[in-house]
Amino acid sequence: MADLAVFYEHPQWFEALFATLKRRGLDWTAIPIQDHTFDPADTALPAPVILNRLAMSSFLRQEEHALFYSLAALDHWQTLGARVVNGPGVLAYDTNKARQLSLFRKAGLDIPATRVAHRREDVVRLAGEIGYPVMVKVNVGGSGTGMIRYDSEEELAAAVADKLTPVGVDGVALIQEYVPARDARVIRCEVLDGKLLYALALDGAGSTFDLCPADVCMVDKPTITISEFRPPAEIARAVEKVAVMSGLDVGGIEYMIDDRDGRARFYDLNAMSNFVAKPLEVLGWDPHDRLVDYLLGLIAAQQKVAA
């Protein structure tokens, strides 16, 4: 049995991770999610530590996606005693933007005004409660998919009548106020082991809803520029609080400054981070090494328990 298993969906996204694992000499095995099946009666583990790298956008690449399958597989291994990094607990938030928003509020943070619905017929009424412009978003998103802005009731009502409003894989929709981000900037805070690892300012993010800052995501987004950002101490503490509350071992938490009142509004938790493009240029160091240090600590802890 290997020391580490990487449960992943998109092969190109993890080339840097795989290279670091190889360079650091870890004994690890790859588990491609799309080809995976499991027996609920099987008590064998692929590894004592399992790194979950499931991307919410996987449903865009495979019609028979493994989003909800992965919840079952990861829970199966966790129940058998594996240390699952970004396990089923946080995955239940990652697959549910409505739950993320409730979590942010529980942590005492501001969010965009939002209503949650499971029927199209409720969308216009709920948008009226919020006011226009309004965003209609799918509950399970990825790579900015399933997000449309509507500027008037007439525009939204016509889309509802034609059944063109976004509907996600779980049938749940979010009706959310459009927040004008100050300086068209959003901030992505990356956490590792409950602590802020680094933060990025994504300038020009108002031009797209796909904010993934990694190499393979940036090809068609030349209008976005990325730089290191140091959030205020209270924001850093809030991000770390959310990470602990959600069980997020490694991933991103995003917010923007509302240009209307200057308040930070949190809107997304992402348990699948493949880190920033050109980290040595942007940060001066490679986050993959910090992640591998963390994984080595977990492997040592699991080996101590087994002994």
Side-chain angles (χ1 to χ4, degrees):
M1 180 171 61
D3 291 333
L4 171 72
V6 182
F7 186 67
Y8 72 98
E9 176 265 329
H10 195 304
Q12 290 177 289
W13 284 5
F14 305 110
E15 290 176 352
L17 170 63
F18 295 162
T20 304
L21 292 173
K22 182 177 180 180
R23 174 172 55 82
R24 297 285 297 273
L26 272 75
D27 178 14
W28 68 284
T29 185
I31 304 178
I33 294 175
Q34 200 58 24
D35 299 327
H36 189 260
T37 62
F38 76 97
D39 178 355
D42 186 1
T43 59
L45 287 172
V49 176
I50 298 169
L51 174 60
N52 167 32
R53 300 283 74 191
L54 171 68
M56 291 301 100
S57 58
S58 63
F59 72 89
L60 299 173
R61 291 179 288 277
Q62 297 100 23
E63 182 177 349
E64 297 176 302
H65 64 82
L67 289 180
F68 304 107
Y69 168 88
S70 296
L71 276 166
L74 294 170
D75 185 70
H76 174 69
W77 292 323
Q78 183 170 274
T79 301
L80 291 173
R83 174 59 168 93
V84 180
V85 179
N86 283 355
V90 73
L91 192 55
Y93 285 108
D94 204 12
T95 56
N96 197 315
K97 291 184 181 297
R99 288 196 67 199
Q100 294 173 24
L101 294 170
S102 294
L103 178 69
F104 292 143
R105 288 299 300 140
K106 186 177 180 180
L109 305 176
D110 291 326
I111 62 173
T114 306
R115 303 292 186 273
V116 183
H118 67 277
R119 303 185 306 180
R120 267 202 177 98
E121 66 184 77
D122 295 318
V123 170
V124 174
R125 172 179 60 82
L126 295 173
E129 295 178 6
I130 293 174
Y132 293 86
V134 68
M135 301 292 301
V136 179
K137 305 166 63 173
V138 297
N139 194 39
V140 184
S143 298
T145 189
M147 301 171 61
I148 300 178
R149 169 176 164 165
Y150 298 94
D151 292 325
S152 68
E153 181 176 337
E154 294 74 20
E155 182 184 7
L156 179 57
V160 168
D162 293 336
K163 298 183 178 181
L164 296 177
T165 53
V167 175
V169 294
D170 65 349
V172 177
L174 277 62
I175 302 89
Q176 191 172 85
E177 70 173 332
Y178 178 79
V179 176
R182 182 161 293 176
D183 300 322
R185 165 183 283 185
V186 302
I187 306 298
R188 182 182 177 101
C189 298
E190 296 283 352
V191 297
L192 176 65
D193 193 21
K195 298 296 182 181
L196 179 66
L197 185 62
Y198 64 86
L200 300 172
L202 283 74
D203 291 311
S207 63
T208 177
F209 298 127
D210 182 0
L211 305 180
C212 171
D215 296 89
V216 293
C217 302
M218 294 302 297
V219 175
D220 297 320
K221 292 180 291 188
T223 57
I224 293 182
T225 59
I226 300 174
S227 59
E228 187 177 12
F229 181 80
R230 300 192 182 277
E234 64 272 16
I235 294 291
R237 288 193 296 268
V239 165
E240 293 175 349
K241 181 178 181 179
V242 169
V244 171
M245 290 173 65
S246 65
L248 178 64
D249 293 309
V250 55
I253 295 170
E254 295 178 10
Y255 72 94
M256 67 189 87
I257 301 300
D258 190 330
D259 198 43
R260 299 168 297 183
D261 58 15
R263 299 183 70 86
R265 302 203 183 275
F266 288 76
Y267 64 91
D268 189 54
L269 180 153
N270 190 332
M272 210 306 293
S273 174
N274 43 7
F275 295 139
V276 62
K278 301 178 181 178
L280 296 181
E281 294 182 18
V282 178
L283 303 174
W285 51 278
D286 190 344
H288 289 98
D289 279 310
R290 303 279 182 92
L291 175 58
V292 169
D293 290 341
Y294 171 65
L295 294 172
L296 285 169
L298 295 181
I299 291 168
Q302 288 292 90
Q303 289 173 341
K304 185 175 181 180
V305 170

